[in-house]
Amino acid sequence: MKTLLLLPILFLTYAMQGQGNCEDASAYLINSYSHVKDAYDSNNISHLQYYSNRSVESIKLSKQNLADCNCKKALDLANQVSDLLVQVESATTNEDGRFYVKRARDLSKQSVIEIDKCAYNNANNIEVEETPTENNALANLQKEQEQLKQQQAALKLKEQEIKQKLAEQQTEALALEKKQLIGKYKLAISSTVKTYNESLKLCNNSNTLTAADTDVSQESMETIKTHYISSLKKLASDYVMQLDLCAN
């Protein structure tokens, strides 16, 4: 008689525990959905990434309860949401991040619906089998997820190509800017040397001023400027010294 009484009690205890796990999982998924909505409404990449991370953390906390609740559909949806949101961390613009967040938001909402179904079924001791239509829907979601991953890989490759081209263009632009700057300084030095030497001839000074031609094309813009300003200063100093000789 004691054994017969114990079995219903154990069954009731198990059912209540399962229901509690579903309710806990539901709370985490609702929290995750709230964060992903905040992410979608964010107007900058930092906030979008912050709320996406918060949503992922809530999903992580829900997984044990989802497993104990035996709600596979909600767990699968939550995993898909997490897979989408972790991509947001590497997004460089708000628009790129919202591409993942939009899909994650829709799936997150569906996961909340599924966990509520499981909680209701557990509370009423209802066993539900997946229909062929549901299986097809899950297969379509998985296929869509795979396509999304392929698109992400293609986007990353394109991003790398664009970055490489930009880097090459920037290098070429800097080289041209250096070349133009060096040309202007050389022209100024050449003109200065010519003027100084003509002035020295007027005072019968046979000494000739020259400027060393050093290749500084591989140096930074600041170093190039410093080099040629120093050269002009040295020319001026040498010129004044030669003028003093003229005076003597």
Side-chain angles (χ1 to χ4, degrees):
M1 178 64 70
K2 290 182 178 180
T3 302
L4 292 175
L5 289 173
L6 183 59
L7 289 174
I9 293 173
L10 290 175
F11 178 79
L12 180 60
T13 301
Y14 176 77
M16 291 177 65
Q17 183 178 1
Q19 183 181 356
N21 288 326
C22 286
E23 290 176 353
D24 290 342
S26 178
Y28 286 126
L29 292 184
I30 290 173
N31 197 34
S32 172
Y33 178 52
S34 175
H35 288 317
V36 80
K37 285 198 300 181
D38 288 338
Y40 186 77
D41 293 334
S42 298
N43 57 9
N44 64 75
I45 187 65
S46 297
H47 289 171
L48 188 140
Q49 290 172 335
Y50 170 77
Y51 286 115
S52 294
N53 288 333
R54 291 285 303 274
S55 184
V56 170
E57 290 301 318
S58 294
I59 290 173
K60 289 178 181 178
L61 293 172
S62 74
K63 287 189 175 182
Q64 184 59 54
N65 294 109
L66 283 169
D68 294 339
C69 175
N70 195 26
C71 195
K72 185 177 183 301
K73 292 181 68 175
L75 178 59
D76 289 341
L77 288 167
N79 284 332
Q80 291 179 50
V81 172
S82 182
D83 289 342
L84 287 168
L85 293 179
V86 295
Q87 303 296 327
V88 178
E89 188 65 30
S90 59
T92 54
T93 66
N94 202 49
E95 183 178 358
D96 291 341
R98 290 180 89 241
F99 173 80
Y100 303 112
V101 170
K102 183 179 184 299
R103 183 57 181 152
R105 181 193 60 176
D106 297 338
L107 292 175
S108 181
K109 180 179 180 180
Q110 190 61 36
S111 72
V112 173
I113 294 173
E114 291 301 328
I115 192 62
D116 285 345
K117 288 181 182 178
C118 289
Y120 175 81
N121 293 336
N122 285 350
N124 294 276
N125 194 24
I126 300 174
E127 184 176 349
V128 179
E129 293 183 357
E130 288 187 349
T131 65
T133 302
E134 290 173 333
N135 284 330
N136 290 337
L138 180 59
N140 288 336
L141 282 174
Q142 291 173 339
K143 182 179 179 181
E144 187 176 346
Q145 183 183 19
E146 184 61 31
Q147 290 175 343
L148 183 60
K149 288 182 179 179
Q150 292 175 0
Q151 291 173 359
Q152 291 169 1
L155 285 172
K156 285 185 177 180
L157 181 60
K158 188 66 177 178
E159 181 183 4
Q160 291 174 354
E161 291 176 354
I162 292 173
K163 285 183 177 179
Q164 183 176 353
K165 288 181 180 179
L166 285 174
E168 291 173 356
Q169 291 176 358
Q170 289 173 351
T171 300
E172 291 175 0
L174 181 60
L176 178 60
E177 189 177 356
K178 288 180 180 180
K179 183 178 180 181
Q180 292 173 342
L181 181 65
I182 290 172
K184 289 179 180 179
Y185 271 119
K186 283 187 175 182
L187 183 61
I189 288 175
S190 175
S191 176
T192 300
V193 168
K194 183 179 179 181
T195 300
Y196 284 172
N197 286 332
E198 287 178 352
S199 296
L200 291 175
K201 285 180 182 179
L202 293 175
C203 68
N204 296 323
N205 188 325
S206 60
N207 290 324
T208 302
L209 298 177
T210 59
D213 188 9
T214 305
D215 183 11
V216 291
S217 60
Q218 301 303 315
E219 303 294 341
S220 67
M221 293 288 288
E222 193 62 34
T223 300
I224 291 172
K225 291 178 182 178
T226 301
H227 168 76
Y228 283 111
I229 289 173
S230 296
S231 296
L232 287 168
K233 287 180 177 179
K234 185 176 185 306
L235 274 174
S237 177
D238 292 345
Y239 175 61
V240 171
M241 185 184 301
Q242 293 301 323
L243 283 179
D244 288 342
L245 294 176
C246 286
N248 295 328

